[in-house]
Amino acid sequence: MNIRSIILVAGHGLAADGKTKDNGASGNGTTERAEVVQIAQEAIALIQRQRLLSDLHLFSVGVYEDQTLLQKISEVNKFCARYNYAPDDVLLVSIHINSGGGNRIEGWYKDGSEPGQKFAAALSKHMAKETGIPDSGTKPDTQNRHGRLGIVRDVKVNTAALIECGFIDTISNAEKLKDPVQDDAFAKAIVLGICDVLNVRFVENPGIYTDVEPGRWSEEAIKKMKDKGWMNGYPDGSFRPTQPVSREELAVVLARVLP
C-alpha cells in the first residue's frame, strides 16, 4: 500500500443549510460532535508523535471548524486534486458515535472497496480491544439506514472508512467517551488501525514531539515548558530543539512566564 496522506474527518458540525449547528446524536450530558472533535484532535496529536508516520501528509477536515457533509467531501477532493493524490495514495477515516441504545463498535466502508473494508475492520478491531466495547464487525455503506455514506462513497479515496465509536445514549459507552483519560483509547485505536493497514509499528510512548526522542537530555525541561503552556511546538508536531530563538519568540515566552 503506497499511502502518501492521512485524512481525519470529524463527523457533523453544520446541517445541510450551512447555517444550523449539527451536533449529531446526544445523550448522557454530551453530544456526538463534541466527543468526535476531541477524539480527532487526540488522534492528530498522537499521529504527529509517531515518527514512522512523519513522512505522511496529515490533513484534517471538520475538526477545527464546523462544516456540512458536502463541504467536507468537497474539501477532501480539493485537497487530493491540489496535491495530485490518486485514490490509492490516501487513507481517510471519518469519526462518528452511534445512538439508539446499543453497545458496540461499527465500521463502515464503500461497498465494493476491498482496502476500505480492510481499514474499517482494523479500526473496529482495535477500538473494541482498547475500549472494551464489543466489535460488531464491518458493513458496506449500502447496508446503512441512509443507503449510502457520502464521506466514504463520494470522496476520491479508496482506503476510506467510517467508524462509530460506541453509543452515546448507552451509559457505559458514554462514560468512556466523556472521561478525559478513558477517551484517549478511541484515539489510540484509530492510530493503531492506521498503523495496521500501513504495516507500520505503533510506538506506545513516542515522546512529546516528533524530534524530541525519549531520553533526550532536555526532554523533561521541554515537557515542563509544554505542560505549563510557556512554550509550544510547531503545527507539524515538531519542537525543533536546536533552532535558535528570536528576540520576538523570547518576549512571548517571558510574557507567559512572568506575572
Side-chain angles (χ1 to χ4, degrees):
M1 186 173 289
N2 187 33
I3 297 295
R4 299 165 59 195
S5 176
I6 299 170
I7 301 178
L8 267 67
V9 183
H12 299 279
L14 285 181
D17 61 12
K19 299 177 182 178
T20 308
K21 178 74 173 181
D22 173 18
N23 283 317
S26 62
N28 293 297
T30 189
T31 66
E32 178 179 6
R33 176 62 182 167
E35 299 301 335
V36 298
V37 164
Q38 187 171 349
I39 291 170
Q41 291 177 351
E42 291 169 352
I44 288 169
L46 184 53
I47 290 170
Q48 289 174 333
R49 299 200 307 273
Q50 294 289 318
R51 291 175 178 83
L52 296 177
L53 298 177
S54 61
D55 290 339
L56 300 181
H57 191 172
L58 179 60
F59 185 60
S60 68
V61 177
V63 177
Y64 301 100
E65 66 287 311
D66 291 334
Q67 294 177 311
T68 67
L69 173 59
L70 290 180
Q71 286 172 336
K72 293 173 184 177
I73 293 168
S74 176
E75 189 165 343
V76 169
N77 289 335
K78 286 179 180 178
F79 168 77
C80 293
R82 186 184 313 131
Y83 292 98
N84 198 31
Y85 289 142
D88 288 329
D89 292 339
V90 181
L91 179 151
L92 179 149
V93 54
S94 182
I95 308 167
H96 286 258
I97 301 170
N98 225 325
S99 65
N103 179 39
R104 60 185 181 274
I105 302 296
E106 292 180 351
W108 296 88
Y109 59 94
K110 178 182 176 181
D111 197 351
S113 171
E114 185 176 342
Q117 181 178 13
K118 181 180 177 181
F119 184 33
L123 290 170
S124 59
K125 176 190 72 175
H126 283 291
M127 194 160 288
K129 182 178 179 180
E130 294 299 319
T131 66
I133 301 173
D135 178 11
S136 67
T138 60
K139 295 179 182 178
D141 69 326
T142 50
Q143 293 185 24
N144 189 273
R145 61 189 177 89
H146 300 291
R148 68 194 312 276
L149 293 170
I151 198 62
V152 297
R153 176 164 291 276
D154 298 330
V155 293
K156 297 177 182 177
V157 177
N158 286 338
T159 309
L162 185 151
I163 187 73
E164 296 275 11
C165 306
F167 281 69
I168 203 166
D169 54 351
T170 296
I171 293 176
S172 61
N173 290 191
E175 286 176 346
K176 291 182 173 68
L177 289 161
K178 292 166 61 178
D179 187 277
V181 176
Q182 293 188 74
D183 68 358
D184 291 349
F186 296 93
K188 179 183 176 182
I190 289 170
V191 182
L192 282 165
I194 291 170
C195 289
D196 242 19
V197 298
L198 297 181
N199 197 28
V200 168
R201 180 173 59 88
F202 175 82
V203 180
E204 187 71 38
N205 297 302
I208 50 177
Y209 294 105
T210 57
D211 53 357
V212 179
E213 63 275 10
R216 185 184 178 90
W217 66 271
S218 57
E219 180 187 17
E220 285 303 314
I222 293 171
K223 184 177 186 302
K224 182 177 179 180
M225 296 293 279
K226 179 179 184 293
D227 292 343
K228 294 285 188 180
W230 293 341
M231 183 178 288
N232 300 312
Y234 291 87
D236 63 357
S238 68
F239 185 76
R240 304 175 195 175
T242 61
Q243 178 174 294
V245 178
S246 68
R247 292 166 62 90
E248 183 178 42
E249 289 172 329
L250 180 61
V252 171
V253 173
L254 290 176
R256 291 171 177 167
V257 175
L258 299 176

